[in-house]
Amino acid sequence: MSCASFAKINVLSSHWIGTNSFSSRRGGSSPLTATRRVSLPIRASSYSDELVLTAKTIASPGRGILAIDESNATCGKRLASIGLDNTEVNRQAYRQLLLTTPGLGEYISGSILFEETLYQSTTDGKKFVDVLREENILPGIKVDKGLVPLPGSNNESWCQGLDGLASRSAEYYKQGARFAKWRTVVSIPSGPSALAVKEAAWGLARYAAISQDNGLVPIVEPEILLDGDHPIERTLEVAEKVWSEVFFYLAQNNVLFEGILLKPSMVTPGADHKEKASPETIAKHTLTVLKRRVPPAVPGIMFLSGGQSEVEATLNLNAMNQSPNPWHVSFSYARALQNSVLKTWQGRPENVEAAQKSLLIRAKANSLAQLGRYSAEGENEEARKGMFVKGYTY
């Protein structure tokens, strides 16, 4: 179906459209001097209304996203840290602990799942997607196929998974998923090269268009890795470039901005930089880039934690919500919500209730941060420990 709105573009402003296609020649004048502006209808998905509603539901006040979409290999590393084998039974037990936490929907609006989890059930036979719905939490799905080396780059990577994405997305929707996630990364120590930035942006845009066409709200995740010893000003510079490219190609692919969510990394110094930035400084730099590069039509900014400690991630989010923003500024955390939970659980059935209480504590803390009302008073030392891992992969 066609959207009522129209995009006005200068036909010479894009190399994707031939210069002779829409330019008119008057007499012997060159097309370069006879450019005219044209209106082209933007094609919108038949799911447009649903996409907008889904995005708004996830970006609801005081709520954010619980990300538990780690691959089986990465989940295995988490389980190994508490002495458990990487088996489907153990992965299911851990994710059941998380998803069946009573009252979780008060603070969590969506949960990103790995494909295995999307099709799993509790030990009592209830589908995980139904468990989430009962808590008013929307199920999401990780759809990318991971990072591989990018030929011709400075030892950088690109994200694979576009092949077959449309058919997979349709099946995920049937299973109950209502939003998707695609993570790609940019490395500052590696440049980043123009090739890597363009590849990241184009891949995110194609994924977003395909997701919307199949009823899934795309979470657009251009992660700028913490690796490096660069200052915060360098991160800001790279973030401006990356986010600019991302939204340019989203527009080129006719993606409905009201039906997406952005999941960026916060603008921080490199993990090895000699000076640590305060939450206020991080908030200032991050909001500066957001205001320069992200259209207010986007409903929500759902930050990743990226190896920050649980407390750091929450403090930084809180600092960004001390004044009104054009978007819902919230969280989509994995390690920053799970770390204390995993250490409390230790794989023991008798610890499940205590572990679920740990999850609620972290979820509530970030809910308060989304509202700008969080205080770190009373936080324990474990929650203050950083979780940065160089070259971290999912």
Side-chain angles (χ1 to χ4, degrees):
M1 61 180 283
S2 295
C3 181
S5 62
F6 292 84
K8 290 188 176 181
I9 61 172
N10 185 315
V11 295
L12 295 181
S13 68
S14 170
H15 62 277
W16 299 108
I17 300 177
T19 55
N20 293 324
S21 298
F22 298 104
S23 59
S24 64
R25 296 174 181 265
R26 296 177 181 176
S29 64
S30 164
L32 292 177
T33 59
T35 304
R36 64 186 177 90
R37 299 181 71 84
V38 297
S39 295
L40 297 177
I42 291 180
R43 175 180 168 275
S45 165
S46 59
Y47 293 97
S48 293
D49 291 343
E50 182 181 344
L51 293 169
V52 172
L53 179 60
T54 297
K56 285 183 177 179
T57 299
I58 295 172
S60 55
R63 299 207 295 167
I65 295 173
L66 168 64
I68 58 169
D69 58 319
E70 301 90 351
S71 66
N72 288 346
T74 301
C75 189
K77 293 176 183 178
R78 303 265 176 91
L79 295 174
S81 71
I82 58 171
L84 292 183
D85 293 332
N86 186 15
T87 65
E88 182 177 354
V89 171
N90 286 337
R91 293 193 298 271
Q92 186 272 349
Y94 177 52
R95 283 158 174 167
Q96 177 172 317
L97 179 160
L98 296 168
L99 298 179
T100 60
T101 298
L104 188 62
E106 184 176 351
Y107 313 116
I108 301 296
S109 54
S111 181
I112 312 171
L113 310 176
F114 191 61
E115 186 176 67
E116 176 183 78
T117 315
L118 181 68
Y119 291 92
Q120 282 179 330
S121 301
T122 67
T123 50
D124 294 332
K126 181 179 287 188
K127 293 179 180 178
F128 280 146
V129 291
D130 293 333
V131 171
L132 289 170
R133 284 197 192 101
E134 289 180 2
E135 278 284 342
N136 195 27
I137 300 172
L138 292 175
I141 178 70
K142 169 188 165 73
V143 299
D144 69 75
K145 294 295 183 178
L147 301 169
V148 292
L150 176 63
S153 72
N154 187 23
N155 295 318
E156 295 161 289
S157 61
W158 69 284
C159 189
Q160 58 188 345
L162 289 177
D163 289 348
L165 179 58
S167 58
R168 287 191 290 121
S169 296
E171 288 302 314
Y172 296 149
Y173 184 91
K174 289 179 183 177
Q175 183 62 18
R178 288 299 177 266
F179 68 100
K181 191 201 87 165
W182 177 287
R183 173 187 180 254
T184 194
V185 303
V186 170
S187 171
I188 292 180
S190 295
S193 67
L195 173 64
V197 172
K198 183 173 181 178
E199 173 58 43
W202 179 254
L204 284 166
R206 289 304 307 140
Y207 138 77
I210 294 168
S211 295
Q212 288 191 340
D213 205 44
N214 289 279
L216 302 178
V217 166
I219 289 184
V220 176
E221 183 176 354
E223 179 174 0
I224 298 172
L225 297 172
L226 282 175
D227 304 60
D229 59 2
H230 50 276
I232 195 169
E233 291 79 13
R234 175 58 178 157
T235 308
L236 184 148
E237 179 184 12
V238 172
E240 280 193 313
K241 175 63 176 174
V242 172
W243 297 2
S244 175
E245 291 273 302
V246 168
F247 279 96
F248 173 79
Y249 288 117
L250 287 171
Q252 287 282 306
N253 281 272
N254 298 325
V255 171
L256 179 68
F257 285 1
E258 292 87 349
I260 71 170
L261 296 166
L262 180 67
K263 182 175 178 176
S265 40
M266 298 177 189
V267 178
T268 68
D272 296 325
H273 187 62
K274 57 186 177 181
E275 294 181 10
K276 199 167 186 178
S278 68
E280 292 73 24
T281 299
I282 290 170
K284 176 184 175 182
H285 284 76
T286 304
L287 290 174
T288 293
V289 185
L290 285 174
K291 290 171 182 176
R292 289 175 178 173
R293 293 293 182 262
V294 182
V298 176
I301 313 297
M302 320 300 286
F303 282 103
L304 59 90
S305 54
Q308 300 176 79
S309 75
E310 292 176 331
V311 171
E312 280 178 328
T314 309
L315 281 170
N316 293 337
L317 178 62
N318 186 71
M320 280 184 265
N321 283 299
Q322 293 307 299
S323 58
N325 291 304
W327 334 263
H328 173 81
V329 176
S330 192
F331 60 93
S332 178
Y333 293 164
R335 285 174 286 173
L337 284 173
Q338 295 183 47
N339 192 51
S340 294
V341 179
L342 196 62
K343 292 182 177 180
T344 302
W345 179 44
Q346 292 294 316
R348 298 172 183 169
E350 64 269 24
N351 291 343
V352 167
E353 185 177 348
Q356 290 179 330
K357 287 181 179 178
S358 292
L359 176 57
L360 284 179
I361 288 172
R362 294 262 45 94
K364 182 178 180 180
N366 286 290
S367 169
L368 290 170
Q370 196 290 308
L371 299 170
R373 304 172 189 163
Y374 168 74
S375 169
E377 185 178 350
E379 292 278 19
N380 61 44
E381 287 305 310
E382 188 64 40
R384 298 177 185 272
K385 292 181 180 178
M387 294 177 281
F388 170 72
V389 177
K390 188 175 182 179
Y392 184 77
T393 61
Y394 284 86

